[in-house]
Amino acid sequence: MQALHIGDLVLERPIIQGGMGVGVSRGKLAGAVSACGGLGVISSAQIGYDEPGFATDQWAANKKAIQKHITLAKEISGGKPVGINIMVALQKYEEQVRASVEAGVDAIISGAGLPMRLPEYVGDSGCKIAPIVSSQKAAKIILNNWKKKFNRTADFVVIEGPKAGGHLGFSTEQLETMTTAEYEEEVCNIIATVQEYAKEFNQEIPVILAGGIFDYQDICHAFELGAQGVQIASRFVATEECDASDAYKQAYIQAKAEDVSIVMSPVGMPGRALNNAFIKQVKKEKQKITKCYNCLTKCNPAEVPYCITQALTAAVEGDIDNGLVFVGENVDRINRMTTVKALMDELTNETLLSAEGCA
């Protein structure tokens, strides 16, 4: 399987580990993935939830944690490239981008909104930037804006499909009715749009396919569609190196297909999560919110059904019944604990399958 070139940044294996917050993918997991030749990705979403002082000053705790976990990931990886996922919907978005660049992160992946000013925030630092898109329309809006306002384009583009975990760039109706053929047609349209900008800027813009990528065969199919790499998240949860609690990992391993549900997040987007006791309760009635943790720009505690910071923190710390557990559609296929190295070897070992044209 060929290396992935993102400008002067080279990944030995064309696999990006998807960012998972709160606290699921931090320095330990990201560093291990990067050490194995992929791109390990930290999630900045309330990354400092366990830092002293988080309850009273979330930004100070998050800023400290951004620096700490990028440094840790770099140490674990032996200095190989490390990325961070920063959601546009987060408060202090600009500050998180600038703090990540200052900490020496190699790439920023940004979704849950349109990252219209991301090029401005990274400046001439050399940090690679990638929007997450789910439609050709979104890709055109972002890339056209970056071209006109900043005279630059994306270093790579992540296409996230309807089978992904966490926040999804689709309406609930689309998630219920979109066929595989319709989605793959949209993927091809997005790739065509990206190629137009690549030609105009005379540079390669690799396209990374995400959402529902589970095994080597899925990776081969992504390449057949025109992608140069893949982003995988859920499979990295059931690894020894994942930053989440053992209880969180076991929730993935024990999950069945019927346990997965589409929920509405306070971000304003549908999301895919385990249909646990917490989700069943908030579907019946709004959860009382007694404290705001200043995580989302458009969150009104008086109106949203639950506090997403509290829900995600409870889950990552192991209180699965009272927490929000985001999962990908294929979580039911995860049935054992493994290591990052073993998983990366499995995902890229051509001898596992006889698929042609994927060497």
Side-chain angles (χ1 to χ4, degrees):
M1 194 170 284
Q2 294 182 349
L4 174 62
H5 293 258
I6 303 174
D8 57 359
L9 186 155
V10 180
L11 305 182
E12 298 160 18
R13 298 177 175 183
I15 295 177
I16 295 175
Q17 162 252 311
M20 297 171 282
V22 168
V24 179
S25 65
R26 297 200 291 181
K28 187 179 176 184
L29 175 58
V33 174
S34 291
C36 289
L39 181 67
V41 178
I42 294 161
S43 169
S44 77
Q46 301 295 55
I47 187 173
Y49 76 93
D50 57 353
E51 291 288 335
F54 177 77
T56 55
D57 191 342
Q58 289 81 45
W59 170 233
N62 286 333
K63 184 177 181 180
K64 178 181 179 182
I66 286 171
Q67 172 72 63
K68 180 169 81 174
H69 286 284
I70 290 174
T71 300
L72 175 61
K74 287 279 194 176
E75 290 174 351
I76 293 172
S77 72
K80 291 183 178 179
V82 170
I84 191 167
N85 181 294
I86 308 177
M87 298 196 303
V88 179
L90 294 175
Q91 290 201 40
K92 301 288 186 181
Y93 173 71
E94 176 183 351
E95 290 88 344
Q96 292 202 27
V97 171
R98 294 188 185 279
S100 299
V101 170
E102 184 179 340
V105 81
D106 298 283
I108 294 175
I109 300 170
S110 198
L114 304 181
M116 305 298 259
R117 297 178 64 185
L118 183 56
E120 173 189 345
Y121 301 155
V122 300
D124 59 0
S125 63
C127 178
K128 310 303 182 189
I129 56 175
I132 298 175
V133 300
S134 298
S135 68
Q136 184 183 34
K137 179 181 179 181
K140 285 183 175 180
I141 290 172
I142 295 167
L143 297 180
N144 190 53
N145 177 78
W146 288 7
K147 170 190 167 184
K148 288 186 174 180
K149 291 190 175 180
F150 308 108
N151 191 32
R152 72 162 297 178
T153 193
D155 295 293
F156 60 110
V157 172
V158 177
I159 303 176
E160 192 166 83
K163 294 183 179 182
H167 297 111
L168 303 168
F170 300 88
S171 67
T172 302
E173 181 181 358
Q174 286 176 315
L175 293 173
E176 294 173 347
T177 63
M178 179 177 283
T179 65
T180 298
E182 288 173 334
Y183 167 64
E184 292 187 351
E185 181 180 1
E186 190 68 10
V187 167
C188 293
N189 291 337
I190 295 170
I191 291 174
T193 291
V194 172
Q195 288 175 340
E196 290 175 11
Y197 286 88
K199 182 178 181 180
E200 185 170 352
F201 281 86
N202 193 30
Q203 69 176 70
E204 294 291 327
I205 306 177
V207 172
I208 312 302
L209 201 58
I213 309 292
F214 189 86
D215 55 21
Y216 178 81
Q217 191 170 26
D218 293 332
I219 296 173
C220 289
H221 185 59
F223 291 163
E224 290 169 356
L225 291 174
Q228 287 81 47
V230 295
Q231 179 176 285
I232 300 172
S234 291
R235 292 213 64 188
F236 285 100
V237 172
T239 62
E240 295 176 5
E241 297 90 343
C242 178
D243 294 273
S245 66
D246 288 340
Y248 191 97
K249 299 174 187 181
Q250 287 301 318
Y252 268 60
I253 293 170
Q254 296 168 14
K256 299 179 177 61
E258 57 266 29
D259 296 330
V260 179
S261 175
I262 299 297
V263 302
M264 186 55 66
S265 165
V267 172
M269 296 178 173
R272 180 173 282 106
L274 290 185
N275 191 31
N276 58 7
F278 169 77
I279 292 299
K280 293 174 182 176
Q281 183 62 34
V282 297
K283 283 182 177 179
K284 292 180 181 178
E285 61 181 353
K286 178 183 178 295
Q287 186 184 68
K288 185 177 181 180
I289 299 174
T290 57
K291 179 177 176 57
C292 178
Y293 289 89
N294 303 303
C295 58
L296 304 173
T297 57
K298 297 181 180 179
C299 178
N300 183 345
E303 298 177 355
V304 296
Y306 58 90
C307 171
I308 194 168
T309 289
Q310 288 183 328
L312 290 171
T313 300
V316 78
E317 291 182 335
D319 188 359
I320 303 303
D321 288 339
N322 296 302
L324 175 60
V325 184
F326 280 138
V327 296
E329 186 177 82
N330 291 319
V331 66
D332 62 302
R333 296 173 63 187
I334 299 173
N335 54 27
R336 61 183 174 84
M337 189 72 73
T338 186
T339 65
V340 166
K341 183 182 184 305
L343 178 55
M344 291 288 282
D345 288 346
E346 174 192 329
L347 291 170
T348 58
N349 189 345
E350 293 85 345
T351 64
L352 292 177
L353 293 168
S354 59
E356 296 180 359
C358 198

